[in-house]
Short mmCIF file of all heavy atoms in Angstrom, two decimals:
data_model
loop_
_atom_site.label_atom_id
_atom_site.label_comp_id
_atom_site.label_asym_id
_atom_site.label_seq_id
_atom_site.Cartn_x
_atom_site.Cartn_y
_atom_site.Cartn_z
N VAL P 95 -21.16 56.53 -9.68
CA VAL P 95 -21.78 57.26 -10.75
C VAL P 95 -21.56 58.72 -10.60
O VAL P 95 -21.32 59.25 -9.54
CB VAL P 95 -23.41 56.94 -10.80
CG1 VAL P 95 -23.69 55.55 -11.10
CG2 VAL P 95 -24.03 57.34 -9.43
N SER P 96 -21.71 59.42 -11.67
CA SER P 96 -21.42 60.86 -11.68
C SER P 96 -22.37 61.56 -12.70
O SER P 96 -22.64 60.99 -13.81
CB SER P 96 -19.98 61.11 -12.01
OG SER P 96 -19.73 62.57 -12.11
N TYR P 97 -22.65 62.73 -12.49
CA TYR P 97 -23.39 63.62 -13.48
C TYR P 97 -22.47 64.35 -14.34
O TYR P 97 -22.85 64.81 -15.41
CB TYR P 97 -24.39 64.50 -12.77
CG TYR P 97 -23.72 65.51 -11.85
CD1 TYR P 97 -23.37 66.74 -12.34
CD2 TYR P 97 -23.51 65.23 -10.55
CE1 TYR P 97 -22.76 67.74 -11.56
CE2 TYR P 97 -22.93 66.21 -9.74
CZ TYR P 97 -22.52 67.48 -10.27
OH TYR P 97 -21.90 68.40 -9.47
N ASP P 98 -21.22 64.57 -13.96
CA ASP P 98 -20.21 65.39 -14.69
C ASP P 98 -18.90 64.68 -14.95
O ASP P 98 -18.07 65.35 -15.53
CB ASP P 98 -20.04 66.71 -14.00
CG ASP P 98 -19.44 66.57 -12.67
OD1 ASP P 98 -19.21 65.47 -12.18
OD2 ASP P 98 -19.18 67.66 -12.01
N GLY P 99 -18.63 63.49 -14.42
CA GLY P 99 -17.39 62.88 -14.61
C GLY P 99 -16.35 63.29 -13.64
O GLY P 99 -15.19 62.87 -13.72
N THR P 100 -16.69 64.16 -12.66
CA THR P 100 -15.75 64.66 -11.69
C THR P 100 -16.22 64.35 -10.28
O THR P 100 -15.46 63.92 -9.40
CB THR P 100 -15.53 66.17 -11.84
OG1 THR P 100 -15.15 66.51 -13.18
CG2 THR P 100 -14.58 66.72 -10.88
N ASN P 101 -17.50 64.61 -10.00
CA ASN P 101 -18.09 64.42 -8.69
C ASN P 101 -18.72 63.06 -8.66
O ASN P 101 -19.74 62.82 -9.32
CB ASN P 101 -19.06 65.52 -8.39
CG ASN P 101 -18.47 66.88 -8.31
OD1 ASN P 101 -17.55 67.09 -7.52
ND2 ASN P 101 -18.83 67.74 -9.25
N TRP P 102 -18.17 62.15 -7.89
CA TRP P 102 -18.59 60.69 -7.81
C TRP P 102 -19.42 60.40 -6.64
O TRP P 102 -19.12 60.91 -5.50
CB TRP P 102 -17.49 59.78 -8.00
CG TRP P 102 -16.74 59.91 -9.25
CD1 TRP P 102 -15.60 60.69 -9.49
CD2 TRP P 102 -17.06 59.39 -10.56
NE1 TRP P 102 -15.23 60.66 -10.85
CE2 TRP P 102 -16.08 59.83 -11.44
CE3 TRP P 102 -18.06 58.49 -11.00
CZ2 TRP P 102 -16.16 59.46 -12.80
CZ3 TRP P 102 -18.09 58.11 -12.26
CH2 TRP P 102 -17.16 58.60 -13.23
N SER P 103 -20.43 59.51 -6.77
CA SER P 103 -21.21 59.05 -5.76
C SER P 103 -21.31 57.46 -5.71
O SER P 103 -21.21 56.94 -6.80
CB SER P 103 -22.70 59.59 -5.79
OG SER P 103 -22.71 60.97 -5.71
N ASP P 104 -21.42 56.86 -4.58
CA ASP P 104 -21.51 55.40 -4.57
C ASP P 104 -22.77 55.00 -5.22
O ASP P 104 -23.76 55.72 -5.19
CB ASP P 104 -21.49 54.93 -3.11
CG ASP P 104 -20.21 55.27 -2.41
OD1 ASP P 104 -19.21 55.47 -3.00
OD2 ASP P 104 -20.25 55.30 -1.11
N ALA P 105 -22.68 53.82 -5.90
CA ALA P 105 -23.90 53.30 -6.57
C ALA P 105 -24.05 51.85 -6.19
O ALA P 105 -23.15 51.14 -5.77
CB ALA P 105 -23.69 53.40 -8.11
N SER P 106 -25.28 51.38 -6.32
CA SER P 106 -25.63 49.97 -5.98
C SER P 106 -25.82 49.24 -7.30
O SER P 106 -26.04 49.84 -8.40
CB SER P 106 -26.96 49.89 -5.24
OG SER P 106 -26.84 50.58 -3.97
N PHE P 107 -25.69 47.94 -7.25
CA PHE P 107 -25.74 47.11 -8.41
C PHE P 107 -26.29 45.67 -8.03
O PHE P 107 -26.43 45.37 -6.87
CB PHE P 107 -24.32 47.01 -9.05
CG PHE P 107 -23.28 46.47 -8.26
CD1 PHE P 107 -23.06 45.20 -7.97
CD2 PHE P 107 -22.46 47.44 -7.51
CE1 PHE P 107 -22.00 44.73 -7.10
CE2 PHE P 107 -21.47 47.04 -6.69
CZ PHE P 107 -21.20 45.65 -6.45
N TYR P 108 -26.64 44.99 -9.10
CA TYR P 108 -27.05 43.62 -8.89
C TYR P 108 -26.11 42.62 -9.38
O TYR P 108 -25.34 42.91 -10.31
CB TYR P 108 -28.39 43.38 -9.67
CG TYR P 108 -29.58 44.18 -9.13
CD1 TYR P 108 -29.92 45.34 -9.81
CD2 TYR P 108 -30.35 43.78 -8.06
CE1 TYR P 108 -31.00 46.10 -9.37
CE2 TYR P 108 -31.35 44.55 -7.59
CZ TYR P 108 -31.73 45.67 -8.24
OH TYR P 108 -32.74 46.43 -7.85
N ASP P 109 -26.03 41.41 -8.78
CA ASP P 109 -25.16 40.36 -9.34
C ASP P 109 -25.87 39.00 -9.12
O ASP P 109 -26.98 38.98 -8.51
CB ASP P 109 -23.79 40.28 -8.69
CG ASP P 109 -23.85 39.98 -7.25
OD1 ASP P 109 -24.89 39.64 -6.67
OD2 ASP P 109 -22.75 39.96 -6.60
N TYR P 110 -25.38 37.98 -9.73
CA TYR P 110 -26.01 36.60 -9.64
C TYR P 110 -26.05 36.09 -8.22
O TYR P 110 -27.03 35.43 -7.77
CB TYR P 110 -25.43 35.62 -10.62
CG TYR P 110 -25.90 35.88 -12.03
CD1 TYR P 110 -25.03 36.31 -12.98
CD2 TYR P 110 -27.24 35.76 -12.34
CE1 TYR P 110 -25.45 36.53 -14.30
CE2 TYR P 110 -27.68 35.95 -13.60
CZ TYR P 110 -26.73 36.35 -14.61
OH TYR P 110 -27.19 36.55 -15.85
N ALA P 111 -24.96 36.40 -7.42
CA ALA P 111 -24.96 35.88 -6.03
C ALA P 111 -26.06 36.54 -5.16
O ALA P 111 -26.61 35.81 -4.44
CB ALA P 111 -23.54 36.17 -5.52
N GLY P 112 -26.31 37.77 -5.38
CA GLY P 112 -27.30 38.41 -4.57
C GLY P 112 -28.68 38.43 -5.09
O GLY P 112 -29.64 38.82 -4.40
N GLY P 113 -28.86 38.00 -6.37
CA GLY P 113 -30.14 37.90 -7.00
C GLY P 113 -30.80 39.33 -7.05
O GLY P 113 -30.24 40.18 -7.59
N SER P 114 -31.95 39.40 -6.39
CA SER P 114 -32.69 40.75 -6.45
C SER P 114 -32.29 41.68 -5.38
O SER P 114 -32.88 42.75 -5.20
CB SER P 114 -34.17 40.48 -6.37
OG SER P 114 -34.52 39.87 -5.18
N THR P 115 -31.24 41.38 -4.61
CA THR P 115 -30.76 42.23 -3.59
C THR P 115 -29.73 43.14 -4.08
O THR P 115 -28.71 42.76 -4.61
CB THR P 115 -30.20 41.39 -2.41
OG1 THR P 115 -31.12 40.47 -1.95
CG2 THR P 115 -29.74 42.29 -1.18
N LEU P 116 -29.86 44.47 -3.82
CA LEU P 116 -28.84 45.48 -4.23
C LEU P 116 -27.56 45.23 -3.49
O LEU P 116 -27.59 44.98 -2.24
CB LEU P 116 -29.32 46.89 -3.99
CG LEU P 116 -30.30 47.41 -5.07
CD1 LEU P 116 -30.89 48.78 -4.63
CD2 LEU P 116 -29.59 47.55 -6.41
N GLN P 117 -26.43 45.34 -4.17
CA GLN P 117 -25.08 45.24 -3.56
C GLN P 117 -24.49 46.56 -3.65
O GLN P 117 -24.67 47.37 -4.59
CB GLN P 117 -24.26 44.25 -4.43
CG GLN P 117 -24.86 42.94 -4.68
CD GLN P 117 -24.98 42.03 -3.48
OE1 GLN P 117 -24.06 42.08 -2.64
NE2 GLN P 117 -26.06 41.35 -3.32
N THR P 118 -23.64 46.87 -2.63
CA THR P 118 -22.82 48.13 -2.69
C THR P 118 -21.33 47.79 -2.91
O THR P 118 -20.60 48.67 -3.36
CB THR P 118 -22.98 49.00 -1.41
OG1 THR P 118 -22.63 48.08 -0.25
CG2 THR P 118 -24.35 49.48 -1.26
N SER P 119 -21.01 46.56 -2.63
CA SER P 119 -19.62 46.08 -2.98
C SER P 119 -19.64 44.61 -3.01
O SER P 119 -20.57 43.97 -2.49
CB SER P 119 -18.59 46.63 -1.96
OG SER P 119 -18.77 45.95 -0.76
N GLU P 120 -18.67 44.05 -3.68
CA GLU P 120 -18.44 42.57 -3.56
C GLU P 120 -16.99 42.28 -3.42
O GLU P 120 -16.09 42.90 -4.00
CB GLU P 120 -18.91 42.00 -4.98
CG GLU P 120 -18.79 40.52 -5.14
CD GLU P 120 -19.73 39.78 -4.20
OE1 GLU P 120 -20.78 40.31 -3.81
OE2 GLU P 120 -19.49 38.59 -3.98
N THR P 121 -16.68 41.27 -2.54
CA THR P 121 -15.31 40.95 -2.28
C THR P 121 -15.00 39.65 -3.00
O THR P 121 -15.73 38.60 -2.85
CB THR P 121 -15.14 40.74 -0.73
OG1 THR P 121 -15.43 41.98 -0.12
CG2 THR P 121 -13.68 40.35 -0.43
N LEU P 122 -13.90 39.68 -3.77
CA LEU P 122 -13.44 38.46 -4.47
C LEU P 122 -12.22 37.91 -3.76
O LEU P 122 -11.32 38.66 -3.48
CB LEU P 122 -13.13 38.84 -5.93
CG LEU P 122 -14.28 39.57 -6.74
CD1 LEU P 122 -13.78 39.91 -8.15
CD2 LEU P 122 -15.48 38.75 -6.79
N THR P 123 -12.25 36.54 -3.51
CA THR P 123 -11.11 36.00 -2.73
C THR P 123 -10.57 34.70 -3.38
O THR P 123 -9.81 34.05 -2.73
CB THR P 123 -11.58 35.67 -1.27
OG1 THR P 123 -12.73 34.79 -1.34
CG2 THR P 123 -11.88 36.93 -0.54
N ALA P 124 -11.02 34.36 -4.54
CA ALA P 124 -10.64 33.11 -5.19
C ALA P 124 -9.09 33.10 -5.38
O ALA P 124 -8.53 34.12 -5.70
CB ALA P 124 -11.35 32.88 -6.50
N ASP P 125 -8.54 31.86 -5.27
CA ASP P 125 -7.05 31.73 -5.46
C ASP P 125 -6.74 31.42 -6.87
O ASP P 125 -5.67 31.09 -7.26
CB ASP P 125 -6.57 30.61 -4.58
CG ASP P 125 -6.65 30.96 -3.15
OD1 ASP P 125 -6.48 32.15 -2.73
OD2 ASP P 125 -6.75 30.04 -2.27
N THR P 126 -7.71 31.52 -7.78
CA THR P 126 -7.49 31.31 -9.19
C THR P 126 -8.17 32.48 -9.96
O THR P 126 -8.67 33.40 -9.34
CB THR P 126 -8.11 29.96 -9.64
OG1 THR P 126 -9.53 30.03 -9.34
CG2 THR P 126 -7.48 28.85 -8.94
N THR P 127 -8.15 32.40 -11.27
CA THR P 127 -8.72 33.42 -12.11
C THR P 127 -10.21 33.37 -11.87
O THR P 127 -10.88 32.29 -11.89
CB THR P 127 -8.43 33.22 -13.55
OG1 THR P 127 -6.99 33.28 -13.69
CG2 THR P 127 -9.02 34.31 -14.44
N THR P 128 -10.82 34.54 -11.62
CA THR P 128 -12.27 34.66 -11.38
C THR P 128 -12.85 35.78 -12.30
O THR P 128 -12.23 36.80 -12.42
CB THR P 128 -12.50 34.98 -9.88
OG1 THR P 128 -11.99 34.04 -9.10
CG2 THR P 128 -13.96 35.15 -9.61
N ASP P 129 -14.01 35.49 -12.87
CA ASP P 129 -14.68 36.51 -13.63
C ASP P 129 -15.98 36.83 -12.86
O ASP P 129 -16.70 35.91 -12.53
CB ASP P 129 -15.04 36.04 -15.00
CG ASP P 129 -13.81 35.92 -15.89
OD1 ASP P 129 -12.93 36.82 -15.84
OD2 ASP P 129 -13.73 34.94 -16.65
N TYR P 130 -16.16 38.09 -12.59
CA TYR P 130 -17.34 38.59 -11.86
C TYR P 130 -18.18 39.43 -12.69
O TYR P 130 -17.70 40.37 -13.29
CB TYR P 130 -16.86 39.30 -10.58
CG TYR P 130 -17.99 39.93 -9.75
CD1 TYR P 130 -18.95 39.12 -9.14
CD2 TYR P 130 -18.05 41.33 -9.51
CE1 TYR P 130 -20.01 39.69 -8.42
CE2 TYR P 130 -19.08 41.88 -8.78
CZ TYR P 130 -20.00 41.03 -8.28
OH TYR P 130 -21.06 41.55 -7.46
N TYR P 131 -19.48 39.14 -12.80
CA TYR P 131 -20.39 39.88 -13.64
C TYR P 131 -21.46 40.51 -12.82
O TYR P 131 -22.04 39.92 -11.89
CB TYR P 131 -21.12 38.87 -14.60
CG TYR P 131 -22.17 39.56 -15.48
CD1 TYR P 131 -21.90 40.41 -16.50
CD2 TYR P 131 -23.54 39.27 -15.20
CE1 TYR P 131 -22.97 40.93 -17.22
CE2 TYR P 131 -24.56 39.77 -15.97
CZ TYR P 131 -24.24 40.63 -16.98
OH TYR P 131 -25.24 41.21 -17.70
N PHE P 132 -21.76 41.80 -13.04
CA PHE P 132 -22.78 42.53 -12.32
C PHE P 132 -23.43 43.65 -13.29
O PHE P 132 -22.92 43.87 -14.35
CB PHE P 132 -22.25 43.18 -11.02
CG PHE P 132 -21.17 44.12 -11.16
CD1 PHE P 132 -21.26 45.53 -11.04
CD2 PHE P 132 -19.81 43.66 -11.39
CE1 PHE P 132 -20.28 46.33 -11.10
CE2 PHE P 132 -18.75 44.54 -11.47
CZ PHE P 132 -18.99 45.89 -11.36
N TRP P 133 -24.53 44.19 -12.87
CA TRP P 133 -25.23 45.13 -13.72
C TRP P 133 -25.95 46.14 -12.82
O TRP P 133 -26.22 46.02 -11.72
CB TRP P 133 -26.25 44.36 -14.67
CG TRP P 133 -27.32 43.69 -13.95
CD1 TRP P 133 -28.62 44.16 -13.69
CD2 TRP P 133 -27.31 42.39 -13.43
NE1 TRP P 133 -29.31 43.21 -13.05
CE2 TRP P 133 -28.56 42.12 -12.88
CE3 TRP P 133 -26.37 41.35 -13.37
CZ2 TRP P 133 -28.87 40.90 -12.23
CZ3 TRP P 133 -26.65 40.15 -12.81
CH2 TRP P 133 -27.87 39.95 -12.23
N MET P 134 -26.36 47.29 -13.52
CA MET P 134 -27.09 48.34 -12.94
C MET P 134 -28.53 48.19 -13.24
O MET P 134 -28.90 47.70 -14.33
CB MET P 134 -26.56 49.72 -13.30
CG MET P 134 -25.20 50.17 -12.73
SD MET P 134 -24.83 51.81 -13.13
CE MET P 134 -25.97 52.74 -12.14
N ASN P 135 -29.41 48.69 -12.43
CA ASN P 135 -30.77 48.80 -12.74
C ASN P 135 -31.03 49.66 -13.98
O ASN P 135 -30.56 50.76 -14.08
CB ASN P 135 -31.55 49.42 -11.52
CG ASN P 135 -33.00 49.44 -11.64
OD1 ASN P 135 -33.56 49.27 -12.76
ND2 ASN P 135 -33.71 49.57 -10.56
N SER P 136 -31.80 49.13 -14.90
CA SER P 136 -32.01 49.82 -16.16
C SER P 136 -32.94 51.08 -16.04
O SER P 136 -33.02 51.80 -16.92
CB SER P 136 -32.53 48.86 -17.24
OG SER P 136 -33.85 48.41 -16.81
N ASP P 137 -33.48 51.21 -14.87
CA ASP P 137 -34.37 52.40 -14.62
C ASP P 137 -33.53 53.63 -14.30
O ASP P 137 -34.02 54.78 -14.26
CB ASP P 137 -35.30 52.17 -13.48
CG ASP P 137 -36.32 51.11 -13.86
OD1 ASP P 137 -36.55 50.94 -15.08
OD2 ASP P 137 -36.93 50.49 -12.94
N LEU P 138 -32.25 53.49 -13.96
CA LEU P 138 -31.37 54.61 -13.61
C LEU P 138 -30.85 55.28 -14.80
O LEU P 138 -30.53 54.64 -15.82
CB LEU P 138 -30.23 54.12 -12.82
CG LEU P 138 -30.52 53.47 -11.43
CD1 LEU P 138 -29.30 52.97 -10.82
CD2 LEU P 138 -31.17 54.39 -10.51
N ALA P 139 -30.79 56.62 -14.74
CA ALA P 139 -30.15 57.39 -15.89
C ALA P 139 -28.98 58.12 -15.32
O ALA P 139 -29.12 59.08 -14.54
CB ALA P 139 -31.23 58.46 -16.36
N VAL P 140 -27.79 57.63 -15.72
CA VAL P 140 -26.52 58.24 -15.27
C VAL P 140 -25.70 58.43 -16.47
O VAL P 140 -25.54 57.57 -17.37
CB VAL P 140 -25.80 57.32 -14.20
CG1 VAL P 140 -26.62 57.25 -12.98
CG2 VAL P 140 -25.58 55.95 -14.78
N PRO P 141 -25.05 59.59 -16.56
CA PRO P 141 -24.15 59.76 -17.76
C PRO P 141 -22.72 59.24 -17.61
O PRO P 141 -22.04 59.03 -18.61
CB PRO P 141 -24.09 61.33 -17.88
CG PRO P 141 -24.46 61.88 -16.53
CD PRO P 141 -25.29 60.81 -15.86
N TYR P 142 -22.23 58.98 -16.42
CA TYR P 142 -20.88 58.48 -16.16
C TYR P 142 -20.90 57.38 -15.19
O TYR P 142 -21.62 57.49 -14.11
CB TYR P 142 -19.93 59.58 -15.70
CG TYR P 142 -19.67 60.65 -16.63
CD1 TYR P 142 -20.48 61.80 -16.69
CD2 TYR P 142 -18.66 60.60 -17.59
CE1 TYR P 142 -20.26 62.90 -17.62
CE2 TYR P 142 -18.36 61.65 -18.46
CZ TYR P 142 -19.25 62.75 -18.46
OH TYR P 142 -19.01 63.77 -19.33
N VAL P 143 -20.14 56.33 -15.31
CA VAL P 143 -19.96 55.25 -14.36
C VAL P 143 -18.47 54.98 -14.18
O VAL P 143 -17.69 55.14 -15.15
CB VAL P 143 -20.77 53.96 -14.71
CG1 VAL P 143 -22.26 54.16 -14.76
CG2 VAL P 143 -20.33 53.36 -16.06
N ARG P 144 -18.13 54.43 -13.04
CA ARG P 144 -16.75 54.10 -12.69
C ARG P 144 -16.76 52.79 -11.94
O ARG P 144 -17.49 52.68 -10.96
CB ARG P 144 -16.07 55.31 -11.95
CG ARG P 144 -14.71 55.01 -11.44
CD ARG P 144 -14.01 56.17 -10.80
NE ARG P 144 -14.66 56.51 -9.55
CZ ARG P 144 -14.27 57.58 -8.80
NH1 ARG P 144 -13.24 58.32 -9.24
NH2 ARG P 144 -14.85 57.83 -7.69
N VAL P 145 -15.81 51.93 -12.27
CA VAL P 145 -15.61 50.68 -11.55
C VAL P 145 -14.30 50.91 -10.72
O VAL P 145 -13.29 51.35 -11.24
CB VAL P 145 -15.41 49.51 -12.47
CG1 VAL P 145 -15.00 48.24 -11.67
CG2 VAL P 145 -16.63 49.28 -13.32
N VAL P 146 -14.33 50.62 -9.44
CA VAL P 146 -13.18 50.72 -8.51
C VAL P 146 -12.89 49.36 -7.91
O VAL P 146 -13.81 48.72 -7.42
CB VAL P 146 -13.49 51.76 -7.42
CG1 VAL P 146 -12.31 51.87 -6.50
CG2 VAL P 146 -13.90 53.06 -7.95
N ILE P 147 -11.64 48.94 -8.08
CA ILE P 147 -11.22 47.61 -7.53
C ILE P 147 -10.10 47.93 -6.53
O ILE P 147 -9.07 48.53 -7.00
CB ILE P 147 -10.70 46.69 -8.64
CG1 ILE P 147 -11.82 46.52 -9.64
CG2 ILE P 147 -10.30 45.35 -8.02
CD1 ILE P 147 -11.31 45.82 -10.95
N THR P 148 -10.27 47.53 -5.29
CA THR P 148 -9.35 47.82 -4.24
C THR P 148 -8.85 46.49 -3.58
O THR P 148 -9.68 45.71 -3.22
CB THR P 148 -9.98 48.71 -3.17
OG1 THR P 148 -10.52 49.90 -3.75
CG2 THR P 148 -8.94 49.10 -2.10
N ALA P 149 -7.54 46.36 -3.52
CA ALA P 149 -6.95 45.12 -2.93
C ALA P 149 -6.66 45.30 -1.45
O ALA P 149 -6.35 46.39 -1.00
CB ALA P 149 -5.64 44.83 -3.58
N THR P 150 -6.91 44.22 -0.69
CA THR P 150 -6.53 44.22 0.77
C THR P 150 -5.66 43.00 0.99
O THR P 150 -5.84 41.88 0.48
CB THR P 150 -7.88 44.03 1.57
OG1 THR P 150 -8.73 45.09 1.32
CG2 THR P 150 -7.55 43.95 3.10
N GLY P 151 -4.49 43.29 1.68
CA GLY P 151 -3.56 42.22 1.90
C GLY P 151 -2.54 42.08 0.82
O GLY P 151 -1.77 41.05 0.78
N SER P 152 -2.43 43.01 -0.09
CA SER P 152 -1.52 42.93 -1.23
C SER P 152 -0.21 43.56 -0.76
O SER P 152 -0.17 44.45 0.05
CB SER P 152 -2.03 43.62 -2.40
OG SER P 152 -2.33 44.93 -2.16
N ASP P 153 0.93 42.98 -1.21
CA ASP P 153 2.21 43.52 -1.11
C ASP P 153 3.06 43.09 -2.25
O ASP P 153 2.53 42.69 -3.27
CB ASP P 153 2.80 43.11 0.32
CG ASP P 153 2.81 41.59 0.46
OD1 ASP P 153 3.04 40.84 -0.53
OD2 ASP P 153 2.70 41.09 1.60
N ALA P 154 4.41 43.16 -2.08
CA ALA P 154 5.27 42.95 -3.21
C ALA P 154 5.18 41.53 -3.84
O ALA P 154 5.34 41.38 -5.04
CB ALA P 154 6.76 43.16 -2.76
N ASP P 155 4.89 40.54 -2.92
CA ASP P 155 4.76 39.19 -3.48
C ASP P 155 3.30 38.60 -3.44
O ASP P 155 3.06 37.57 -3.96
CB ASP P 155 5.70 38.22 -2.85
CG ASP P 155 5.39 38.03 -1.37
OD1 ASP P 155 4.62 38.80 -0.84
OD2 ASP P 155 5.93 37.06 -0.78
N ASP P 156 2.38 39.30 -2.84
CA ASP P 156 1.00 38.95 -2.78
C ASP P 156 0.28 39.94 -3.73
O ASP P 156 -0.05 41.10 -3.36
CB ASP P 156 0.42 39.01 -1.45
CG ASP P 156 1.04 38.06 -0.46
OD1 ASP P 156 1.34 36.91 -0.89
OD2 ASP P 156 1.22 38.41 0.70
N THR P 157 0.05 39.56 -4.98
CA THR P 157 -0.51 40.47 -5.99
C THR P 157 -1.77 39.94 -6.63
O THR P 157 -2.11 38.76 -6.61
CB THR P 157 0.53 40.77 -7.04
OG1 THR P 157 0.79 39.47 -7.74
CG2 THR P 157 1.81 41.37 -6.50
N ALA P 158 -2.51 40.82 -7.25
CA ALA P 158 -3.71 40.47 -7.96
C ALA P 158 -3.71 41.23 -9.29
O ALA P 158 -3.34 42.40 -9.29
CB ALA P 158 -4.97 40.75 -7.21
N ILE P 159 -3.98 40.53 -10.35
CA ILE P 159 -4.06 41.23 -11.70
C ILE P 159 -5.59 41.40 -11.94
O ILE P 159 -6.26 40.40 -12.01
CB ILE P 159 -3.35 40.38 -12.75
CG1 ILE P 159 -1.91 40.25 -12.38
CG2 ILE P 159 -3.50 41.05 -14.11
CD1 ILE P 159 -1.17 39.22 -13.29
N VAL P 160 -5.95 42.66 -12.18
CA VAL P 160 -7.36 42.94 -12.35
C VAL P 160 -7.61 43.63 -13.69
O VAL P 160 -6.80 44.38 -14.12
CB VAL P 160 -7.91 43.75 -11.19
CG1 VAL P 160 -7.92 43.02 -9.88
CG2 VAL P 160 -7.24 45.11 -11.11
#
Side-chain angles (χ1 to χ4, degrees):
V95 294
S96 174
Y97 63 90
D98 62 358
T100 303
N101 299 298
W102 296 94
S103 300
D104 297 338
S106 299
F107 54 87
Y108 295 99
D109 66 5
Y110 282 115
S114 62
T115 304
L116 279 171
Q117 310 289 323
T118 55
S119 70
E120 181 69 21
T121 301
L122 307 177
T123 59
D125 292 330
T126 59
T127 301
T128 300
D129 290 319
Y130 176 61
Y131 173 73
F132 58 105
W133 64 93
M134 286 186 71
N135 185 342
S136 60
D137 294 336
L138 298 176
V140 294
Y142 295 89
V143 294
R144 174 173 69 182
V145 176
V146 180
I147 304 171
T148 306
T150 303
S152 60
D153 56 32
D155 65 345
D156 297 322
T157 63
I159 300 169
V160 296

